[in-house]
Amino acid sequence: QVQVEESGGGLVQPGGSLQLSCVASGDTFGIVLMAWYRQAPGKQRELVAAISSGRSTSYADSVKGRFTISKDNARRTLYLQMNSLKPEDTAVYYCNHRIQNKDYWGSGTQVTVSS
């Protein structure tokens, strides 16, 4: 059984930075893709950034140039560095691991951008 757990959320002022982390445990053999999603109140969950097993990355247009996704395979950790944060980035951020065509989700971490 695979479990993923996010951390690093919090309250930050506009223009500030946060780094989210996601640690995976269990049998993670066969990871195809790791990603960060977010869901704001009253909105659908949306893809923020993704990184493949080969380290190819993709980003939502709204975060390009501000967010960076990365991973440390030895630590089984996925990161999301978020810079120049805006109030519209406020959401619950979820970590996703796709392993052998099955999706594993964390419970989410709240990010609030407000002055």
Side-chain angles (χ1 to χ4, degrees):
Q1 185 70 14
V2 175
Q3 291 185 321
V4 295
E5 183 174 359
E6 306 94 339
S7 62
L11 173 64
V12 63
Q13 293 187 341
S17 297
L18 278 176
Q19 185 182 64
L20 305 183
S21 299
C22 172
V23 178
S25 60
D27 184 4
T28 58
F29 176 79
I31 287 181
V32 176
L33 192 72
M34 293 184 282
W36 289 97
Y37 286 74
R38 67 185 180 187
Q39 187 167 20
K43 294 188 177 181
Q44 289 189 330
R45 190 172 297 190
E46 64 174 353
L47 177 64
V48 175
I51 185 167
S52 71
S53 57
R55 298 187 183 272
S56 295
T57 59
S58 61
Y59 296 91
D61 287 343
S62 59
V63 306
K64 280 182 182 176
R66 300 189 297 123
F67 290 12
T68 302
I69 189 171
S70 63
K71 61 177 180 170
D72 183 333
N73 289 334
R75 296 177 183 269
R76 294 186 167 192
T77 303
L78 178 70
Y79 300 100
L80 185 67
Q81 177 65 41
M82 305 185 294
N83 299 328
S84 303
L85 283 160
K86 304 175 181 180
E88 50 264 44
D89 295 317
T90 295
V92 178
Y93 283 71
Y94 296 91
C95 173
N96 171 274
H97 283 44
R98 178 162 294 173
I99 302 173
Q100 298 182 6
N101 295 322
K102 187 172 181 179
D103 285 317
Y104 296 88
W105 294 91
S107 58
T109 185
Q110 176 71 46
V111 172
T112 302
V113 185
S114 175
S115 55

